[in-house]
Amino acid sequence: MDNYMWNTPEKLRALLCEIVSWDSRTLTEGENEFAYKLKNKLMALPYFNKHPELIELHEAGLGRNAVTALYKHPAATDTVVLISHFDTVHTEEYGELEPLAVFPEELTKKLMEPKYKKDLPETARLDLESGNYLFGRGTMDMKMGLALHMQLIEKASFEQWPINLILTTVPDEEVNSAGMRAAVVELVRIREQYDLTYQLFLNSEPSFSQGPSDTNEYIYSGTIGKIMPAALFYGKETHVGEPLKGMTANFIASYMTQHMEWNLLFRETDLGESTPLPVSLQLKDLKMEYSTQTPYRAAALYNVFLLKRTAAEVMDIFEQVACEAMTACNEQYMQICKREKVQGVGSIKVLRYEALLEHAIRKLGAAEVDSIKSQVLQHSTWDDREKSIRIVDQLMIRCQELAPATVLLYAPPYYPAINSSTHPLIIKSIELMKKTAQTFDVEVEQIHYFNGICDLSYVNYTDESDEWLAFERNTPVWGDTYSIPFKEMTALQGPVLNVGPFGKDAHQKTERLHVDSAFKEMPVMIDTLIKNLI
């Protein structure tokens, strides 16, 4: 047993603190370096030292890499894919303690000082004083999950478990999931290369508290989906001294946002669980500077969660809501024009991006449209959402005969909802996890849809009617800076499960990990789960 590096709670805690110290905030150099550090760490295991070809790095854009490490038993085909992400959100909220944000032991000790303790929320202060929580960025979300998978693959390789394990850890989960979207393609290749059967996709995102005093632990048999309908509002410019010679985009946008926010049409319920209602994530006019010209172009992003609906179904509802909103806007505008005895600039149309694109190609030619898109895509400081909006904006500037108009589109990212609650293996596994947890006097409950959004969205995908095409056709950056490997996702069939440690306050300065859950309970629970598959 002395040859094991991570087989005790103390060693596992040290491993976690080490990989947390590898600062890997999204879109930083640390995120780029993490994959190489992890590969070197895994190479210290005798198994991978003997089989270095089984650890691979997979390019995921912007200098980032996903990592796969395959433990392959010579007589086994059944395989469990262990999924985690290693990027974290940023750390500015730590203030003067930011240098310690990725050093959990030091940060937890520092927080005990009266100067810092008094500023903590009461629940965080009580958890700190209990001594059973480890604070720091990435402790909960989700480097502990990765550490558990590293411990598991070490044990399997030492004990030669007759099952295959693929540790799969990726960058960029916190933004666009570029890492997982790249890994999906490689997982299909690895399965074919080694003749594997994917029996289970096991993620270890943390168990989220369902309330301030909730210390129950949860297992998730699926993950909620997320999609981002967006709109470009194009009015008519004028001088502020002659307001009724134009129409502000802000006037149009206000109606759309009122109709979108908290709209019950988008709520889904399945297995007794419901999606949160939609809200706007961004609403802005597109003027680059102040002037007395009225803002005639604006854009909005809306967050919509999914359980069963496809991109096509959501777009249909989005268009219905947009038509209702623009009808209300047109009616109000006509009343104003009648009151002021002016002609007005016309009624607001509703059209999808795909219709705008077809119109622009007919008018300008495909080459000119490609050139317009290319010019937008060259703006390296704009993310995929901004590029999506700006492509529509530039096309509308050249197709003003369509104005006033509301153009509907999709902006990245898109996470399909996935659920395996009715799969026999998952039913059996959840019962096993509950019984195992009881040996620690811990109650574990099942949640059907993980509500934190995770990379399980990109496996076990089904869409027999190709309704994902509604996403492709209405996403301006599709195929250029953003794409989803739907074909490969469909090929990765197998039930999904999320079993991870308990923690609190992900993405906050009080992010913390429950020590007993992480270092004592979870290793046993995950070990038991995998061995039950053999």
Side-chain angles (χ1 to χ4, degrees):
M1 295 292 287
D2 290 342
N3 292 329
Y4 285 81
M5 294 189 294
W6 310 314
N7 64 319
T8 67
E10 296 75 21
K11 291 178 180 179
L12 186 57
R13 181 167 176 154
L15 171 64
L16 172 68
C17 290
E18 181 180 359
I19 62 176
V20 167
S21 75
W22 301 345
D23 182 8
S24 53
R25 291 165 295 162
T26 306
L27 298 176
T28 67
E29 189 59 32
E31 184 185 27
N32 295 355
E33 295 171 352
F34 189 96
Y36 297 95
K37 293 178 179 179
L38 179 64
K39 180 180 179 180
N40 289 337
K41 191 73 177 176
L42 290 170
M43 284 293 291
L45 293 176
Y47 180 82
F48 291 118
N49 191 264
K50 184 178 180 182
H51 303 285
E53 74 281 0
L54 297 181
I55 300 180
E56 297 182 75
L57 302 188
H58 312 286
E59 196 273 328
L62 303 178
R64 302 165 300 189
N65 286 275
V67 182
T68 56
L70 169 63
Y71 160 68
K72 176 74 175 74
H73 187 276
T77 59
D78 284 348
T79 305
V80 177
V81 181
L82 307 170
I83 298 172
S84 65
H85 70 85
F86 58 75
D87 64 312
T88 71
V89 296
H90 284 246
T91 53
E92 293 88 347
E93 69 272 20
Y94 285 87
E96 63 181 274
L97 291 179
E98 186 175 12
L100 297 181
V102 295
F103 297 99
E105 304 287 9
E106 293 87 340
L107 176 64
T108 304
K109 182 178 179 181
K110 194 72 173 177
L111 287 172
M112 288 295 293
E113 295 181 9
K115 173 183 177 183
Y116 302 108
K117 188 194 294 187
K118 67 180 178 62
D119 292 330
L120 292 175
E122 183 180 8
T123 54
R125 178 179 58 79
L126 292 173
D127 286 345
L128 175 68
E129 292 173 344
S130 74
N132 206 24
Y133 283 85
L134 195 60
F135 286 67
R137 177 62 79 239
T139 52
M140 173 192 179
D141 185 15
M142 70 161 293
K143 289 183 177 177
M144 188 62 226
L146 171 57
L148 287 165
H149 294 172
M150 293 171 71
Q151 182 193 59
L152 189 69
I153 209 164
E154 176 189 43
K155 191 172 185 180
S157 66
F158 269 97
E159 299 176 7
Q160 299 183 14
W161 292 359
I163 193 170
N164 308 312
L165 302 177
I166 304 179
L167 183 151
T168 305
T169 190
V170 300
D172 193 51
E173 190 268 356
E174 300 291 2
V175 182
N176 282 336
S177 283
M180 189 60 190
R181 287 183 286 117
V184 161
V185 178
E186 300 301 331
L187 286 172
V188 172
R189 177 189 58 80
I190 291 170
R191 184 192 63 190
E192 295 171 352
Q193 180 177 347
Y194 295 100
D195 193 26
L196 307 177
T197 300
Y198 289 157
Q199 190 176 11
L200 176 68
F201 294 95
L202 177 65
N203 203 353
S204 290
E205 287 273 8
S207 171
F208 281 82
S209 168
Q210 301 297 298
S213 60
D214 181 20
T215 56
N216 289 330
E217 299 192 17
Y218 298 94
I219 292 174
Y220 307 87
S221 49
T223 185
I224 199 169
K226 167 193 166 72
I227 199 164
M228 195 141 61
L232 187 287
F233 310 100
Y234 201 103
K236 174 70 171 68
E237 75 282 4
T238 187
H239 188 281
V240 291
E242 299 178 301
L244 287 171
K245 285 191 173 182
M247 179 186 291
T248 69
N250 298 347
F251 177 73
I252 305 171
S254 68
Y255 282 85
M256 185 65 179
T257 296
Q258 286 183 62
H259 280 71
M260 279 297 296
E261 293 253 0
W262 312 319
N263 191 319
L264 283 171
L265 288 175
F266 291 95
R267 169 170 281 169
E268 289 189 73
T269 299
D270 185 48
L271 299 170
E273 296 173 14
S274 296
T275 57
L277 294 171
V279 293
S280 55
L281 285 176
Q282 188 178 74
L283 179 60
K284 63 178 183 178
D285 72 61
L286 302 185
K287 285 176 66 174
M288 303 300 287
E289 69 285 316
Y290 170 80
S291 76
T292 55
Q293 182 191 60
T294 56
Y296 64 100
R297 294 135 57 219
L301 305 176
Y302 303 102
N303 189 86
V304 172
F305 286 112
L306 311 168
L307 297 183
K308 293 290 188 180
R309 285 179 180 146
T310 64
E313 291 170 322
V314 173
M315 181 55 76
D316 287 343
I317 298 171
F318 188 43
E319 186 173 40
Q320 174 188 338
V321 172
C323 289
E324 293 170 357
M326 293 308 103
T327 295
C329 186
N330 284 328
E331 289 175 353
Q332 178 67 13
Y333 178 65
M334 288 173 63
Q335 290 178 19
I336 294 170
C337 290
K338 183 177 180 181
R339 185 192 71 200
E340 300 297 322
K341 297 181 174 58
V342 297
Q343 183 70 30
V345 298
S347 296
I348 305 157
K349 307 172 186 66
V350 175
L351 65 155
R352 299 186 183 193
Y353 169 71
E354 58 184 318
L356 169 62
L357 184 63
E358 290 173 5
H359 178 90
I361 291 173
R362 286 195 302 270
K363 178 182 179 181
L364 307 172
E368 178 63 18
V369 169
D370 287 343
S371 176
I372 292 168
K373 292 178 67 175
S374 178
Q375 290 175 42
V376 173
L377 295 171
Q378 289 174 13
H379 285 264
S380 59
T381 58
W382 288 349
D383 65 14
D384 285 339
R385 286 149 292 283
E386 189 69 21
K387 288 175 181 176
S388 298
I389 290 167
R390 295 293 175 174
I391 287 172
V392 181
D393 180 44
Q394 290 301 310
L395 292 179
M396 274 301 298
I397 287 173
R398 290 162 175 81
C399 298
Q400 295 183 38
E401 64 276 6
L402 297 175
T406 293
V407 183
L408 310 181
L409 62 140
Y410 277 130
Y414 172 32
Y415 291 81
I418 301 296
N419 188 270
S420 298
S421 295
T422 60
H423 194 285
L425 176 61
I426 299 304
I427 295 172
K428 179 181 176 182
S429 296
I430 288 173
E431 287 304 311
L432 177 64
M433 292 294 90
K434 288 181 177 180
K435 290 178 181 178
T436 306
Q438 287 173 355
T439 66
F440 296 100
D441 293 322
V442 172
E443 292 296 322
V444 166
E445 298 179 19
Q446 177 185 5
I447 292 180
H448 297 285
Y449 290 93
F450 178 73
N451 59 0
I453 305 173
C454 77
D455 283 330
L456 286 176
S457 284
Y458 299 107
V459 300
N460 202 35
Y461 180 75
T462 56
D463 184 356
E464 295 178 358
S465 300
D466 289 337
E467 294 195 11
W468 64 270
L469 290 171
F471 185 82
E472 175 186 336
R473 291 166 181 163
N474 290 289
T475 301
V477 295
W478 181 268
D480 294 309
T481 61
Y482 186 83
S483 61
I484 299 175
F486 287 106
K487 179 181 177 182
E488 287 80 4
M489 286 158 53
T490 303
L492 290 178
Q493 291 299 304
V496 304
L497 188 63
N498 190 97
V499 181
F502 180 77
K504 296 181 181 180
D505 294 353
H507 297 193
Q508 300 179 47
K509 66 180 179 182
T510 49
E511 177 180 349
R512 57 199 184 275
L513 177 72
H514 191 277
V515 170
D516 287 346
S517 172
F519 305 121
K520 295 179 181 179
E521 300 161 17
M522 276 299 121
V524 174
M525 290 179 66
I526 294 179
D527 181 282
T528 302
L529 172 63
I530 300 301
K531 285 183 175 177
N532 189 62
L533 300 177
I534 297 174

